[in-house]
Amino acid sequence: MINRLSKTTVFLMRSTFIFALCTCFFNALLVASPGYAQKLKEIKISIQFSGQTLDECVKQIGIKTNIQFAFNPEELKIFNSSNLKFKKTSVQDVLERLLKNTSLLFAELGSKVVIYSTTNQSDLTQVKFLLNPSDDPLLPISGTILNEKGEPVQSVTVTVKGTSRSVVSNESGVFSIEADENDVLVFSSIGYSLREIAVGKNKMLSVQLTATINALDDIVVIGYGSQKRKDITGSISSLKGETLKNLPVRSVAEALQGRVAGVFVSGDNGAPGAAPSIIIRGPVNTRGTGPLYVIDGIPFTDAGNSFNMQDVENIEIIKDASAAAIYGAAAAGGVIIVTTKKGKAGKLLVSINSSVGSRKALNLPRLLSKDQFITARIANGDDANSFFGPESGRAALPNTNWFDFLYRNSLEQNHTASIAGGNDKSTYYMSVGYNDQQGVRIDNFVKRYTIRINSDHKINSRLKVGQNFYLSSENSNPTNLSNQGALSFRSSPIMKVLDPLNAAGGGWGRTPGYFQGGNDYANELVNYRRNNNYTANLAVYGELEIIKGLKLRQNMALKYAAFDNYSYNYRYDWGQSRRDFARFGKGYSKGLEFLGNTTLNYAKKIGKHDLSLLAGYEALRGKGDFIDGYADFSNANLNRDFNFVSQLTTANNRLSGSGSDVSRRNSMFGRATYSYADKYLFSANVRRDGVATAFGPNNKYGVFPSVSFGWKVINENFLKGSNIFSDLKLRASYGTLGNSDVDGFLFLNSYNAGYPAVLGANGPILTSFNIRTRMVNKDIQWEEVATTNFGVDMAFLKNALTVSIDAYSRQTKKMVYYLPIAGSAGQGADLPFNIGQMSNKGIEFLVNYNGSIKKDFSYSVGFNGAYNTNKLISLDPKLGGQFFDGGLNEFYGGGATASKTEPGKPLGQFYGWVANGIYQTDVEGGKGPKVGNYTPRAGDLIYKDLNGDGKMTDDDRTYIGNPWPKLTYGINLSIQYKTIDISMLLTGVMGVDIYNAQESFNHNFFGDYNTTADIFKTSFFNGTGLTNVPRGFYPQNVPVVGGGDRNGNWSRVSSYHVQSGSFLKMRNMQVGYNFSNKLTKVVGISSARFFMMADNLFVITKYKGYDPEIAGGVRSRGIDNSNGRYPSTRLLAVGLNINF
Amino acid sequence: MNINRKIGAVIFVICTLFAITFFSCKKGVLNVTDPNVFSADNYPATIDDLNMELNDVYGRFRAGYYDADWYRFFALSRDHSADQAYKAIDFDAATQINFTKTDQAVAVLWEKHYENIAKCLNALNDIDRFKVKNPSMNAADKERVDLIEGQVRFARAWNYMILVNSYGETMITTEADKAKMGVPIIKKLAGIISETQIPRSSIGEVWTYIIDDLKASEAILKTKTWSGNDIARASGWTVKAMLGKAYIFSQQWALASAKLKEVIDGSGKSLIPFDQFKDMFGGKNEFSNESLFELNVIKDESQGWSVSDNVGTRLNIYLAPAVINEDGSTGKNGFGNYFVHDKNLFRFGFTGTAVTPAEQKLPAYLAQSRIWRDSKTVDPRLWVYSFQPYLDSLRWDNVTRPAAKMPGDGVNLETNIAWCFQKYVLRDAFVWSNNISIGHNMYILRLAEVYLLYAEALTKTGQNVNALEYINKVHRRAYGQANVDIPGIYDYASLTAATEAPDAALRNDPLKYEKWAELFAEGTWWFDVCRWKLGQNEADFYQKVATGNLTWNDNKYTLPIPLREMNTNALMKQNSGY
């Protein structure tokens, strides 16, 4: 009968049989081990030793307890027991005591307890079994796996080479596997070099693994598959989840800051949940399209904040086109692949990571106090009576420092508890997380609860299934900033925050007569808001090995996101502003996205040829909706239920917003990798994407190919035995990627709601529809981004020093450019066209050194840096309006734009007048160019009249600064000394300009705003005379038209306000103390670490503003409008990591 | 065979098949439409759909010139109806008429009216498409469609009038002016970028285009009038009156006088009595017998500050009147800082000069004012259009609050009289307790203006006696004469009789004075200043605003073409001086 079955079936059956046996055995082992360990603790004996050799001692124990011991008598004979006496002591304790001060360890294995040496491994072949060594014919090959320090290594995968049989070592480093004499065992584990050992006649092996330093054998997750780091031909950076442990980061982008060369992350404010900007290898287009995130196989355009970073096992950042091309039209901004933790077969691991800390706002400005304010306002020529009333009453005016009320030191907590474990068939990882970040501004927080469940199951030797479930619930109280921004420069020191006399108005302080701003403190509190965000990401997969090497994998994923926002606006009256009705508002949304992909993967090695092929199909469809409603009512205590809104007939109530969103994508992709003799590597990717909402009917599908080559020079004969290199690999790649993140349906002409009309005297309100204010572009398509990358990976000093250098050129073509349209066309402001070209060229480098001084002092230093030059090359010359400008706040005059983007230049260059000192005399000023009708005077900025027409106009503007840094870098330091560990992350930028718009607020009154004491340093202010700071004050009798600041010293864009923004920040510093095992064992903990952490500890910079880390978009970057910025913060925290 | 594997394989295949079926629907995965809009392929399908487009065209009267944001700059600050107690660059540019090509106001005014025109154009296209698709409509349907067209054409003409008057190189004062640069005429909705490159038509061409539209509209609407829930629509008389105004602006005097006479005689409209007139700017007596076209708004704050989504106006916020609160402090009903420019008081004939609140509330001073008002030695319209501190009052929360002088808010108003506006403001409710927006209609065209336009046409065609009569009709009503059609004691004796105004241009020109006084702060005076070249006179008369002195140059007669337009339209040419 067997003959009639195919060979394959026979193999399958045989392997299944063996597999089943292994499974049985290991299940037994897994069950038995803890039980037996329990037994070792439970079985108590009374025994006495007096200097016998240890083998004799152990034999005695064996006889007394019936426990089977296995050991090499030669190893035990070396040692003699001391004089020991035990009374009703557990075997565990007896053995521990006995083997103390020896190089021997013991471990339970199957039904036996093995005693083995950690030093004298060669002699292990002499291990003999004490009792009936042959009593178990099925006894597999067993062994212990140790690292260089002699410590057991758990979770090592032990595979019988050429078969799918594998087991995993337990927490004592012990494994057991069915193998025969001719087999070769392969030992692999992350962080250790791969090792192969021929079994031979040995039944008991001791295996030493060497820790890898450059992690060349690490598995790198690439799109729809994985590769070994040493075989990578593209530019992929990896970041281990371990590095992010305990960091107070809430988003993937934030986690990457300073850690990966070429990934430029900047956060510009300290609001809880604020999203930093992330730019990989310079802006890919004028919109600054961000990277694609792929989390456990599910793509996200933004990973957002609702992700527990403590669940992260690994992050891969794909920067070039070779690997990213498998993601096609979504990948041009780079791809960030996040893999979350999985369980490992073996002991159940329970770990708890907790930290609690306090945040403090940094560099809050000091606004003028009452007395300063009165002095300064009068000196400014403002009408004192209308501001402060008669002089007699001024002493009684309040003196309020608003920041005392608006800012606080806030509490932050971050807790994650996880369990991970499994057996050889099933592994799992589960975690719960809680993150609570209170804002330093009052009435502001973000809390997040997360649950993750990941598991993988082998149904049989050919079929695997698994799942990743992630749920998060985020509850936040956003700030309610008035139009004066987070720093409340528009606040009045002579106004009370609270005023009991205004009980009817809510008890809020009332605005003084002159003041048109509000009560920022009250504004936060009367506008009650709670936002709830829910996300669920569910993915399941199945993988079937059809024949050896050919795998069919099916992934199904579902992404669900919803919000449920609630707001309640109380009635109030603070003078200038009053609301006599309460408003209740509620908004809901839901978005659902389905993703499915099927891949077929074939890998085959024939001699020196190693080939793998991948083909796949992927489809995505999604739909989202939102709806908002509100109700106004004059009775503040009415029911606040949403259903109630529809029942209110007397109040103003309505549905205020709704909308829908659809997404569809349809893709095919493939990959081939080939290597010859482990020297020459080749890889090609291609993807064909159709994006329903983004690509016009004339361009429904885009194709994105890439190729890459690698040369492992280290494996060439001429480098064999090299004293210099321990690794050397050259890489080259080229490929085309796409961007498809343009607005939806730009190719469709449509009608939407227009201006409602009323045609009766008192209503009704009539709906209207008319053609959409937008021109249609039927040819809209993806952007094409071609990247050429050259890289070299080098390692020296036995991999202690590694260096990687990448050089790239990334050319964006058919860039979507929102072409400004003539207003006279009446078709809106702009229309996207694929007409732009942009270039980014740069060099990145990464240097790591791992060193140690003596045995217990080790350290590592990493430095990564990137240099990028960006240039907008061209737009269609036939079209007008070939520039963008933008970026400043409304208080700036002259069109209020500080940034200009023009072909031939990098994006978002500062553009304005050139200021060249300060006029020292009125006579000098009289010779200078006029500003409008104003003739400059002493104390005014000297502007350069570039076109020489005698007056300063828009035509005299030129490029005055560059917001893009020449160098972005990060420095990682870690030190391990005995039980103490220290880690530091520093990030920095060099050669960058900031447009300091904030200093205008600090030196000058805008409208009814307050300012800082810097105003007293300005020229001719309050009798200062000429200083080195330009004037903002002009005497009333200056015979010119216009208000204050007539020369525009503080209100025109000029080079005076452009400052160097280079900085080096101590981003994060942690000092940890690891409790000794002895101590922790007492309380049943396997390891415990206490740490102290400082986030954003200090910054070294010459920049004069509050914080030189400034983001912004890609076209109006580096403009410091601190007045509107939530202040940056420093976190000091303590925490515990505990593993059970 | 291993049973596990069998089951596993079956499950796997089923899942795969399911997935493939699920994701590849027969229509094609990529075949979706935008769920938030109607596809242009099947819209408009009915006459109701066309009416929806007309609704948009009407709603858009709120966008552009009559949007409170821009109305305060172009209609109030520019002609010095208003002065302001606030320093800010864009505000100063408006009060001092120093508009620049980069000003947002200048750009939005341009862009909004062109957007309105594009919507009109699309509606007209759709009407044509609809007619082609439905060749055999019954008479009633045909009339409905035609009426839509008539109204759209009126709206389009009106939008062009704002544009050419605001951005045209000059007003037409001579035949040669007609050849000067007007504004682009958009005859086709641009489908590709090259179609957006439209040069400026000459001023003459623009007026011809406007007049053609109005004539076409007139041909449809004829003497159509509306009522009930349609009362705010443009009637046949609205169109005729606007056509008459267009003839005035294009100096076609004979046609103007004929058309305006047609309205005067045929519309059945009349000047409403002073008692009703004095309340018609505060939300009362809307769509009165005097009204020809109004910006129809109702109180609506449902969409916050959005002018496009709300059907109210928030002009009252900016024209916030100051009051004396119960506790004696000065408050405001809104947050604006606009007040009536002091010189306007003198132009209305007021001679009081009290500047401090203490002086302004002296009983003797108030008694004198009351005498002037009651005896009509001062033009009574002063107290219709503005609040005299302590003499007038506002009332809300059951408290009567004396009007107050506009507070300085940091700008020194110690030497200013600073009365607050009454026209269009909220005077019987507290703005913050009430909703930001109000439903006070604004007048786009009313019979008083028609009379004065007619009078102007008559003076140009040698009919001075008749012209004087129509000027006097307006004057008589303002002075409370019950029957405006009979001579009275307030009549001007001649076209050069003395007016209340002290300045050279208006002192002996009742037509100009009445045009100014009757339509004060109604958004028409500036265009008359431009037509009559009164710029220097006005600068001399008003002298200064609270934030600076006034100067004059003739560039100020027109606005700059916005920089955005200059940058995006290669065929665009800038007005001189910008």
Side-chain angles (χ1 to χ4, degrees), chain A residues 461-614:
Chain A
S461 64
R462 298 279 166 179
L463 180 61
K464 284 200 299 187
V465 297
Q467 53 72 232
N468 297 299
F469 289 176
Y470 179 71
L471 296 162
S472 94
S473 165
E474 192 177 83
N475 173 233
S476 66
N477 179 1
T479 54
N480 219 90
L481 303 179
S482 58
N483 58 1
Q484 41 256 47
L487 282 191
S488 298
F489 265 69
R490 194 178 188 182
S491 60
S492 171
I494 58 165
M495 172 177 165
K496 285 181 184 165
V497 177
L498 299 168
D499 184 358
L501 296 177
N502 182 27
W508 310 117
R510 294 174 65 90
T511 49
Y514 80 95
F515 186 59
Q516 299 288 302
N519 183 328
D520 270 15
Y521 180 78
N523 195 55
E524 289 287 357
L525 298 177
V526 302
N527 296 304
Y528 177 92
R529 288 166 73 190
R530 284 292 182 280
N531 291 350
N532 294 298
N533 281 291
Y534 306 104
T535 53
N537 302 322
L538 314 176
V540 292
Y541 76 88
E543 188 178 277
L544 180 71
E545 188 166 29
I546 299 166
I547 54 167
K548 188 171 155 50
L550 180 65
K551 287 176 180 167
L552 176 69
R553 187 179 166 104
Q554 177 65 45
N555 285 304
M556 298 278 287
L558 183 153
K559 255 161 72 177
Y560 176 77
F563 70 67
D564 168 2
N565 294 347
Y566 172 85
S567 66
Y568 193 83
N569 306 112
Y570 290 86
R571 300 165 59 156
Y572 67 83
D573 179 1
W574 56 66
Q576 181 273 331
S577 180
R578 159 179 158 181
R579 186 164 54 212
D580 280 6
F581 54 89
R583 171 170 289 188
F584 158 81
K586 188 102 176 157
Y588 290 104
S589 85
K590 73 108 177 84
L592 203 51
E593 198 169 278
F594 295 98
L595 175 88
N597 62 50
T598 309
T599 54
L600 199 57
N601 207 329
Y602 182 69
K604 182 80 182 168
K605 192 168 184 183
I606 307 163
K608 290 181 169 180
H609 307 274
D610 199 346
L611 177 72
S612 82
L613 298 167
L614 168 82

